Amino acid sequence: MAGRVRCAKYLLSPTAGQRQRLDHLLWMQRNLYNMALNHRRAMWEHGQHASRYDQFALLNNMAGTDLGRYGTCVARGTLTRVDLAFKAFFRRCRAGEAPGYPRFKARWRFNSVSWPDTSGWRLDASAKRFYAMGVGHVKLRLHRPLPGRPKCAHLRREGRRWWVVVVCDQVPAKPLPETGRVVGIDLGVASTLTTSDGTHVANPRPARKAQECLASAQRDLAPKAKGSKARRRAVERVAAHHRKIRNCRADHAHQLSRQLINHYDVVAHEDLRITNMVRSAKGSVDKPGTNVAAKSGLNGSIYDAGWGQLLSFVAYKAEEAGRTTIAVDPRHTSQTCARCGHTEAGNRCRQAVFRCLRCGHQAHADHNAAINILRAGLAQRALREVQKKTA
Ligand SMILES: [Zn+2]
């Protein structure tokens, strides 16, 4: 049994020589990717289909070539990627969409390779080295041990940095002692989240700072001529800011989810699928999150992605620790009075202020919403238990 699966991402510190070989590895795999794509196109034009395994067979005589230096495993990883691109393409065709045909990869667009199983690479935890065939033993920062049994590996280039992501299975559970506490959380823009206990967690400052830098880098990029070197550099800068925001947000989400899971047995949160559904139908859900983002000139989708990530971290940490998470329908949670239950849009008098038009209850709007989310979550759980008993 494979059990739980987790990834661990480690930063590599390659020597100058190893860096060159890593670049060369990507270069060769990118060529292979484009060659395999071309092969499929040619076959397709003749009404034939090349499968992943047909293409694997093409690797048989690569010994002694530049590509062969890195072994068949990583090359199979690349061919599998071509296969996945085609599978996605055909799936979308069947679904009646008009997808773009899989495209050739430009040099700067090809930034990762994969080893589909445990051959061709090795992570030596005691020596703190990542070995890849043809590249050598690269030093890495082992900031935490592997979470389980290594299954496959991905190598990524992000700007000047190199990372290895090791996918592990058989990750052991780490149950935490019960706390007897439950919480509802409201996700927002001004604050990342507000708990039903009334705690507000602000967005991390570095992310906001990076956001401003990103906007300026994007303005800088716009007028640059297509295909020019200056544009290439400007694109790199924009990508670097995006990376920074992403990393910042991930760090923050890891810390927050860890705190929530350590402190509470049950975490109730809004069901983002419903949030997104309602929002696309109405333009905005009853919480004005996206509008706020638009007003302050920030990109709302960045927040959406951040919420999704946070909740996915909460979910996997909860599963590992034996905690419960409950997704509730978020509609009306921001318009309903947490004290008397009266629901009316006018209750939400300003962005941050909730004042009940019936009983006069006044609270921070997000705090009020978080309490409603907790209640809805607990009701849902109670209902589920009753259903289980009667079934
Ligand atoms: Zn009320």
Side-chain angles (χ1 to χ4, degrees):
M1 217 185 72
R4 247 176 233 94
V5 177
R6 289 281 172 279
C7 297
K9 187 177 176 185
Y10 302 106
L11 181 63
L12 297 176
S13 317
T15 62
Q18 287 168 341
R19 200 174 274 278
Q20 244 172 26
R21 291 196 287 280
L22 287 168
D23 279 322
H24 186 253
L25 164 65
L26 278 196
W27 171 249
M28 294 315 295
Q29 296 304 318
R30 175 240 172 196
N31 289 348
L32 175 65
Y33 185 97
N34 287 343
M35 259 155 45
L37 199 66
N38 204 19
H39 175 239
R40 291 233 184 182
R41 280 188 179 196
M43 298 281 280
W44 201 50
E45 274 159 21
H46 290 91
Q48 284 172 316
H49 171 69
S51 77
R52 177 158 62 122
Y53 298 100
D54 296 335
Q55 296 206 312
F56 282 179
L58 302 175
L59 298 174
N60 286 343
N61 43 17
M62 67 176 221
T65 62
D66 269 356
L67 184 65
R69 223 190 282 173
Y70 303 103
T72 40
C73 300
V74 70
R76 284 185 175 195
T78 303
L79 293 180
T80 303
R81 213 163 122 191
V82 176
D83 192 50
L84 290 176
F86 271 89
K87 281 199 174 124
F89 169 69
F90 289 128
R91 191 170 50 238
R92 293 187 60 192
C93 285
R94 277 197 302 274
E97 296 170 47
Y101 197 80
R103 293 204 304 176
F104 292 109
K105 294 273 186 194
R107 191 176 176 178
W108 58 84
R109 284 269 182 98
F110 199 89
N111 290 309
S112 71
V113 295
S114 304
W115 288 266
D117 51 38
T118 51
S119 26
W121 67 280
R122 198 167 54 247
L123 196 140
D124 187 342
S126 54
K128 296 185 180 166
R129 303 271 162 169
F130 170 72
Y131 167 78
M133 185 175 169
V135 177
H137 299 266
V138 185
K139 224 165 104 182
L140 95 169
R141 203 185 295 164
L142 197 79
H143 61 291
R144 60 183 158 127
L146 280 172
R149 184 185 67 170
K151 226 176 102 189
C152 60
H154 310 284
L155 178 77
R156 284 196 71 77
R157 178 175 63 192
E158 291 180 1
R160 293 269 304 151
R161 291 189 173 172
W162 288 89
W163 299 89
V164 60
V165 176
V166 181
V167 182
C168 295
D169 62 2
Q170 294 188 351
V171 178
K174 289 174 230 152
L176 289 172
E178 282 193 20
T179 63
R181 284 191 294 264
V182 294
V183 74
I185 56 173
D186 178 68
L187 303 171
V189 173
S191 301
T192 306
L193 70 82
T194 302
T195 68
S196 48
D197 304 339
T199 312
H200 301 279
V201 182
N203 280 306
R205 189 175 288 279
R208 276 179 282 164
K209 182 103 208 305
Q211 189 98 53
E212 285 161 24
C213 295
L214 171 64
S216 116
Q218 279 168 333
R219 279 194 299 275
D220 193 42
L221 166 68
K224 299 273 191 298
K226 276 223 164 120
S228 67
K229 259 195 174 157
R231 187 180 175 85
R232 200 53 275 149
R233 278 196 300 271
V235 167
E236 279 298 327
R237 274 198 298 276
V238 169
H241 287 304
H242 269 300
R243 255 194 320 270
K244 192 161 179 198
I245 293 170
R246 229 177 17 243
N247 293 341
C248 222
R249 195 174 61 202
D251 281 351
H252 187 61
H254 270 302
Q255 288 169 16
L256 259 181
S257 54
R258 177 45 60 206
Q259 285 168 7
L260 286 169
I261 293 306
N262 285 354
H263 284 88
Y264 302 100
D265 297 339
V266 176
V267 179
H269 58 78
E270 67 190 80
D271 189 334
L272 283 183
R273 283 170 310 177
I274 299 178
T275 307
N276 290 333
M277 222 167 59
V278 177
R279 184 185 293 150
S280 53
K282 267 199 330 191
S284 96
V285 77
D286 70 33
K287 66 162 33 177
T290 43
N291 297 337
V292 175
K295 260 184 229 152
S296 55
L298 300 177
N299 186 351
S301 66
I302 287 180
Y303 288 100
D304 299 352
W307 293 336
Q309 185 179 48
L310 175 67
L311 292 185
S312 76
F313 288 176
V314 169
Y316 92 73
K317 289 190 170 105
E319 203 246 349
E320 216 167 71
R323 304 293 209 213
T324 308
T325 59
I326 306 169
V328 305
D329 186 339
R331 279 171 288 190
H332 308 304
T333 48
S334 64
Q335 301 169 356
T336 301
C337 173
R339 188 201 275 163
C340 76
H342 176 62
T343 304
E344 191 176 334
N347 283 348
R348 179 82 177 258
C349 54
R350 285 200 305 278
Q351 161 58 21
V353 182
F354 181 92
R355 192 183 297 125
C356 180
L357 292 176
R358 191 161 80 187
C359 77
H361 171 60
Q362 193 170 327
H364 190 287
D366 294 343
H367 183 200
N368 182 71
I371 294 173
N372 288 329
I373 288 171
L374 173 61
R375 259 188 217 146
L378 293 179
Q380 203 169 304
R381 188 176 64 154
L383 186 68
R384 231 184 283 156
E385 270 160 23
V386 170
Q387 280 169 341
K388 230 185 273 167
K389 268 180 211 152
T390 51

